[in-house]
C-alpha cells in the first residue's frame, strides 16, 4: 500500500538571485561585471535577455519558470537554454543564492560563503527513517534581517526563510529530526521535507548521530572547540569569501580613533584626576658597546622589504642557513612527562611543544628547484611536497597582491600548526596560543633575515585553499595560520616599517 503524506502541500520550487554581498556594475560598451570583496567576474556584452536576467536577479528572486518566460518574451524560446546555462554557471561558481519553496511559500535559502569553481558544497542526501542532529559547530545568527545557520566546515550557509525551520533546528539539537519531523514542522509533503534535509546536511548544519559523536570524541574534530574553529574559519580565507584585511569598511562612516593623548602634567591639570608621572631618561641613539651584529643594531634595521633582487635571487645556502636559524629543533630542554614530546626551538613557544611547521614555496632560488617543500626541522632538510603548477602560481600571486609587491616573492613560507599537540594539553586557548607562537616566529624570522641582509615581509593572509590542495593536509589537523616572504635584498631597496 502506497503511503501518503499528511501534508500534500505544493510542489517544490527553486529560485535564484545574486548573492547579497555582491554587486552588479556596468562597463562602457555594455559589458557587466560581478564584484564581491576580492573577486571579479566580467560578462562581456551579454545579449538582451541575459542582460535583463542578471539585472532582475540583482533585484530579487527568479524561478526557472520565470527565467524561461523572461527570455522567451525578449529573445524567443530558442534562447532559453543559453540563459539556463548561464544560471548554472553562476550557481557552480557560487555567485547566486538558491531558494527552496513549497509553491509560493519560501522554506530556506542556500547562501554561498565561498566563491569560485571549487566552492560548492559536497552534496549529501538523507536516508529514510534516519534521525539527524545539530552539529556542535553550527552557529545561528542574524544577518541582513534573516536568521542564518552555518558551520565553519562548509562553504554554504542556510537562511531560515520559514520561521518553523528554527523549530526544526531546535528539535535537531535535542533528540534529532527525520524527514517526517521536518514535514510536520514545515507543513510540507515528505519529498519536499527530504529536499530540506538534504540542504541542511550539505551545509553540515545537520549531521548523522555517528558524526555528532565523532565531533565530540574523535580526533581531530573532538579536539576543537566551536569558538576556536569559528575564529580559524573567519580569519583564513579558505571556505569563505568574506572581506579580509585592510578594507577600511568604516571609512566615511565612523571617525578613526585618534592617537592617545599624552598624560597631562600634574602642575597644569589643576585637579585630582591627573595621574602622577615619572620622567624616564631617553635611550642613547646607540647602546654603549653595540656592534653592527648586536641585537640592538639588528632590531634598529628591521623592516618589511617588498622589493627583491630578481637578478640575484636568494641562494640555497642562504635559505638553508635561514631555516636552521629560525626553526631547527634541538634536543629536548626539559623532561616533561605529562605532555607531548618537546624540543628546543630557537624561539619560545607555548609549553615548549613546538607545534609550528614551515612549508617553503620556492619560486626563484639559486641552486634549488622551484616547488613546495616541507622543512624537516629535526634532520635539517627539505622534503618535496609539490611541483610548480597553477596552484603554486595562485599562491604566489595571492602573496604578491597581499604584500603589495611588484613581483611574486622568491620564497613564500606557509606556517602551519599541528594544533592537536596544543589541544591535548590546553583548553580554551590552544588556537590563540598557536597564533601567538606564529607571531613570535615571524618576529624572529624578521631579525634573522635582517641579520643576513635578506628581504623579509610578513603577510596578513594567504591562499589557504591552494595550499591545502597541494599539501593534502587536513585543515583540522594542521591548519595554515601565517605566511612570510623572503628574498634577496636589492642594494637600493626602499625599506618600510
Amino acid at each position: 500500500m502506497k503511503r501518503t503524506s499528511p501534508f500534500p502541500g505544493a510542489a517544490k520550487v527553486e529560485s535564484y538571485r545574486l548573492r547579497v554581498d555582491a554587486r552588479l556594475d556596468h562597463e562602457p560598451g555594455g559589458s557587466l561585471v560581478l564584484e564581491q570583496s576580492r573577486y571579479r567576474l566580467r560578462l562581456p556584452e551579454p545579449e538582451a535577455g541575459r542582460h535583463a536576467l542578471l539585472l532582475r536577479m540583482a533585484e530579487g528572486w527568479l524561478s526557472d519558470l520565470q527565467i524561461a518566460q523572461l527570455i522567451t518574451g525578449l529573445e524567443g524560446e530558442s534562447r532559453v537554454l543559453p540563459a539556463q546555462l548561464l544560471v548554472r554557471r553562476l550557481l557552480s561558481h557560487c555567485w547566486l543564492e538558491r531558494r527552496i519553496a513549497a509553491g509560493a511559500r519560501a522554506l530556506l535559502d542556500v547562501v554561498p560563503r565561498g566563491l569560485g569553481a571549487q566552492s560548492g558544497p559536497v552534496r549529501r542526501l538523507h536516508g529514510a527513517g534516519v534521525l539527524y542532529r545539530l552539529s556542535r559547530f553550527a552557529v545561528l545568527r542574524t544577518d541582513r534581517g534573516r536568521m542564518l545557520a552555518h558551520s565553519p566546515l562548509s562553504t554554504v550557509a542556510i537562511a531560515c526563510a520559514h520561521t518553523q525551520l528554527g523549530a526544526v533546528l531546535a528539535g535537531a539539537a535535542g533528540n534529532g529530526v527525520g524527514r517526517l519531523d521536518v514535514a510536520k514542522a514545515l507543513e510540507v509533503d515528505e519529498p519536499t521535507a527530504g529536499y530540506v534535509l538534504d540542504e541542511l546536511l550539505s551545509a553540515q548544519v545537520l549531521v548523522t548521530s555517528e558524526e555528532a559523536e565523532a565531533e565530540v570524541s574523535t580526533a581531530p574534530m573532538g579536539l576543537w572547540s566551536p569558538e576556536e574553529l569559528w575564529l580559524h574559519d573567519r580569519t583564513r580565507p579558505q571556505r569563505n569569501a568574506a572581506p579580509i584585511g585592510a578594507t577600511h569598511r568604516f571609512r566615511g562612516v565612523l571617525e578613526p580613533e585618534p592617537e592617545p593623548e599624552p598624560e597631562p602634567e600634574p602642575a597644569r591639570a589643576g585637579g585630582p584626576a591627573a595621574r602622577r608621572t615619572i620622567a624616564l631618561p631617553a635611550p642613547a641613539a646607540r647602546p654603549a658597546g653595540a656592534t653592527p651584529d648586536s641585537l640592538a643594531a639588528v632590531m634598529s634595521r628591521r623592516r618589511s622589504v617588498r622589493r627583491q633582487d630578481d637578478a640575484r635571487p636568494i641562494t640555497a645556502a642562504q635559505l638553508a642557513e635561514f631555516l636552521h636559524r629560525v626553526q631547527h629543533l634541538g634536543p629536548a630542554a626539559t623532561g616533561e612527562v605529562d605532555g607531548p614530546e618537546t624540543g628546543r626551538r630557537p624561539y619560545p613557544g607555548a609549553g615548549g611543544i613546538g607545534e609550528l611547521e614551515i612549508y617553503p614555496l620556492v619560486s626563484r632560488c639559486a641552486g634549488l628547484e622551484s616547488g613546495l617543500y616541507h622543512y624537516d626541522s629535526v634532520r635539517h632538510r627539505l622534503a618535496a611536497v609539490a611541483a610548480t603548477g597553477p596552484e603554486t602560481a595562485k599562491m604566489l600571486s595571492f602573496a604578491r597582491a597581499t604584500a603589495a609587491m611588484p613581483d611574486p616573492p622568491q620564497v613564500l613560507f606557509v606556517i602551519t600548526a599541528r594544533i592537536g599537540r596544543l589541544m591535548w594539553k590546553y583548553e580554551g586557548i590552544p588556537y590563540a596560543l598557536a597564533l601567538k607562537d606564529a607571531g613570535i616566529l615571524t618576529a624572529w624570522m624578521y631579525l634573522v633575515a635582517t641579520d643576513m641582509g635578506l628581504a623579509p615581509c610578513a603577510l596578513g593572509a594567504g591562499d589557504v585553499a591552494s595550499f591545502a590542495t597541494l599539501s593534502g593536509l587536513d585543515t583540522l589537523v594542521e591548519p595554515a595560520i601565517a605566511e612570510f616572504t623572503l628574498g634577496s635584498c636589492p642594494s637600493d631597496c626602499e625599506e618600510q616599517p
Side-chain angles (χ1 to χ4, degrees):
M1 180 177 177
K2 184 178 179 180
R3 182 181 178 186
T4 59
S5 170
F7 307 104
K12 179 182 77 74
V13 177
E14 291 197 15
S15 303
Y16 320 98
R17 75 173 182 188
L18 183 66
R19 55 188 294 165
V20 295
D21 59 353
R23 65 179 181 274
L24 180 67
D25 290 330
H26 291 79
E27 280 188 345
S31 296
L32 295 176
V33 176
L34 290 172
E35 292 186 312
Q36 189 276 342
S37 182
R38 57 192 178 275
Y39 299 91
R40 191 173 190 269
L41 176 64
R42 185 173 180 269
L43 303 167
E45 302 180 18
E47 297 178 2
R50 279 173 282 182
H51 188 279
L53 172 63
L54 290 167
L55 292 178
R56 288 281 300 276
M57 287 195 298
E59 297 173 351
W61 297 97
L62 282 182
S63 67
D64 287 311
L65 177 59
Q66 290 170 325
I67 291 171
Q69 292 172 339
L70 175 64
I71 300 300
T72 300
L74 290 173
E75 296 182 331
E77 188 174 346
S78 64
R79 304 306 297 167
V80 172
L81 180 58
Q84 291 175 333
L85 291 176
L86 173 62
V87 171
R88 294 299 176 268
R89 177 190 172 200
L90 294 175
L91 275 172
S92 66
H93 285 72
C94 299
W95 282 101
L96 301 181
E97 296 185 7
R98 184 163 52 89
R99 168 165 285 182
I100 306 296
R105 191 160 52 97
L107 302 176
L108 63 81
D109 302 336
V110 180
V111 181
R113 301 179 62 235
L115 256 176
Q118 299 177 345
S119 295
V122 176
R123 189 70 178 167
R124 305 180 70 201
L125 304 179
H126 75 284
V130 179
L131 295 180
Y132 297 96
R133 307 286 299 276
L134 186 69
S135 168
R136 79 180 182 98
F137 298 113
V139 59
L140 302 178
R141 61 184 177 87
T142 179
D143 179 73
R144 303 174 194 262
R146 55 185 178 176
M147 188 170 74
L148 208 64
H150 75 84
S151 165
L153 299 171
S154 176
T155 58
V156 297
I158 300 296
C160 301
H162 194 294
T163 56
Q164 284 301 107
L165 191 59
V168 171
L169 298 177
N175 297 323
V177 294
R179 188 169 62 188
L180 184 57
D181 299 307
V182 176
K184 290 179 179 178
L186 301 180
E187 297 185 352
V188 296
D189 57 24
E190 287 196 50
T192 302
Y195 284 121
V196 171
L197 266 181
D198 293 344
E199 300 296 350
L200 292 170
L201 285 168
S202 298
Q204 298 192 56
V205 172
L206 296 188
V207 295
T208 66
S209 296
E210 292 77 11
E211 290 169 332
E213 179 63 28
E215 287 183 346
V216 176
S217 59
T218 303
M221 296 180 69
L223 297 170
W224 286 83
S225 71
E227 297 83 1
E228 289 174 306
L229 194 55
W230 299 338
L231 175 61
H232 175 64
D233 173 67
R234 180 60 184 90
T235 56
R236 305 299 295 173
Q238 180 179 7
R239 294 185 179 90
N240 71 82
I244 189 170
T247 61
H248 301 96
R249 61 189 175 119
F250 290 115
R251 189 190 298 277
V253 179
L254 297 174
E255 290 295 324
E257 292 189 19
E259 289 288 332
E261 293 289 336
E263 289 286 346
E265 294 287 346
R268 299 177 184 177
R275 293 181 290 193
R276 187 170 67 92
T277 59
I278 301 173
L280 297 174
R286 185 172 180 178
T291 67
D293 295 327
S294 71
L295 177 60
V298 172
M299 291 176 64
S300 69
R301 299 198 313 270
R302 192 276 311 154
R303 296 288 188 276
S304 291
V305 182
R306 294 174 171 83
R307 188 162 59 89
Q308 301 175 352
D309 187 356
D310 288 341
R312 185 180 52 86
I314 189 173
T315 67
Q318 288 175 314
L319 180 59
E321 178 185 347
F322 178 83
L323 286 169
H324 190 278
R325 292 177 64 178
V326 302
Q327 184 71 357
H328 180 62
L329 184 66
T334 63
E336 185 175 355
V337 295
D338 63 340
E341 293 179 346
T342 62
R344 185 176 180 83
R345 298 281 192 193
Y347 54 89
I353 289 173
E355 78 284 358
L356 300 182
E357 298 288 335
I358 295 180
Y359 290 78
L361 173 55
V362 176
S363 173
R364 294 178 302 283
C365 179
L368 184 63
E369 290 185 9
S370 59
L372 179 65
Y373 297 86
H374 171 245
Y375 176 59
D376 182 343
S377 60
V378 176
R379 299 171 181 84
H380 184 53
R381 64 185 183 185
L382 291 176
V385 175
T388 55
E391 296 297 335
T392 58
K394 286 168 60 178
M395 289 178 63
L396 292 169
S397 177
F398 195 110
R400 182 200 60 75
T402 299
M405 301 175 70
D407 300 294
Q410 294 172 9
V411 180
L412 169 66
F413 297 110
V414 179
I415 300 170
T416 67
R418 290 186 292 158
I419 198 71
R421 288 172 57 80
L422 288 173
M423 290 175 169
W424 187 93
K425 182 174 181 179
Y426 299 104
E427 182 176 354
I429 60 171
Y431 188 72
L433 290 176
L435 296 180
K436 294 172 183 177
D437 287 350
I440 294 170
L441 171 56
T442 53
W444 184 244
M445 294 169 86
Y446 263 113
L447 295 179
V448 172
T450 301
D451 187 56
M452 293 179 63
L454 298 174
C457 186
L459 306 184
D463 186 353
V464 183
S466 292
F467 175 73
T469 300
L470 289 169
S471 66
L473 294 175
D474 186 335
T475 57
L476 295 180
V477 176
E478 191 174 333
I481 62 173
E483 288 80 21
F484 193 92
T485 68
L486 188 70
S488 57
C489 189
S491 58
D492 62 341
C493 67
E494 296 180 2
E495 300 176 341
Q496 301 177 14

